Amino acid sequence: MAPVVTTGSSIFSYNIITIFYFSEYELLSREGKSHDEAVVEAGAKRFRPIAMTAIAAILALMQLAIGLGQGSTMQQPLAIAIISGLIVQMPLVLLIMPLAFSVWNRRPGRRMGDAGGPSFGAPVRGPAE
């Protein structure tokens, strides 16, 4: 159960990186790139920061997961759960999320921002005067 909770929390913490992914997609779309080109190029540009963040966290927690040091046996299960969550989260954010986004945007009449909120970069309007 701990890896499931940790995966959820690590995906939640990657929301800011996900926002950068979608803003990169929006920028490329405005430059005239097709949907497929924009998704692939945005994924390529965001791959390195996402992978580096996850790998740095995994390497930092590796000492606790192995059980080195005094008192590390108490925190070892937590480190293993966090590492498991990060390992599961990387393919979800890098592969499944862009795939789901592509499927969502290919539906007729659906574009980014149609879910009820403004698209990225759209001006937010205040109350009616």
Side-chain angles (χ1 to χ4, degrees):
M1 183 66 179
V4 173
V5 172
T6 307
T7 301
S9 65
S10 66
I11 290 174
F12 180 75
S13 69
Y14 274 83
N15 280 341
I16 194 72
I17 294 174
T18 305
I19 289 171
F20 285 131
Y21 177 88
F22 287 122
S23 64
E24 185 78 32
Y25 166 80
E26 183 83 10
L27 180 70
L28 292 170
S29 293
R30 287 182 186 168
E31 290 177 358
K33 302 251 180 180
S34 71
H35 171 72
D36 292 335
E37 289 174 342
V39 167
V40 170
E41 192 170 331
K45 287 183 178 181
R46 300 312 314 163
F47 173 78
R48 184 174 168 207
I50 293 169
M52 286 178 64
T53 304
I55 290 169
I58 290 169
L59 291 176
L61 290 167
M62 197 60 74
Q63 180 181 359
L64 279 176
I66 293 172
L68 300 175
Q70 210 170 6
S72 64
T73 57
M74 187 170 77
Q75 295 179 351
Q76 186 178 18
L78 178 64
I80 292 171
I82 292 171
I83 290 172
S84 302
L86 288 169
I87 289 172
V88 169
Q89 165 268 330
M90 272 186 59
L92 288 176
V93 170
L94 293 172
L95 300 174
I96 304 300
M97 183 195 63
L99 179 67
F101 177 67
S102 292
V103 169
W104 177 263
N105 263 358
R106 286 183 190 215
R107 290 174 45 198
R110 297 300 278 183
R111 299 308 292 160
M112 184 157 59
D114 286 348
S119 65
F120 294 106
V124 179
R125 296 187 183 133
E129 296 178 13

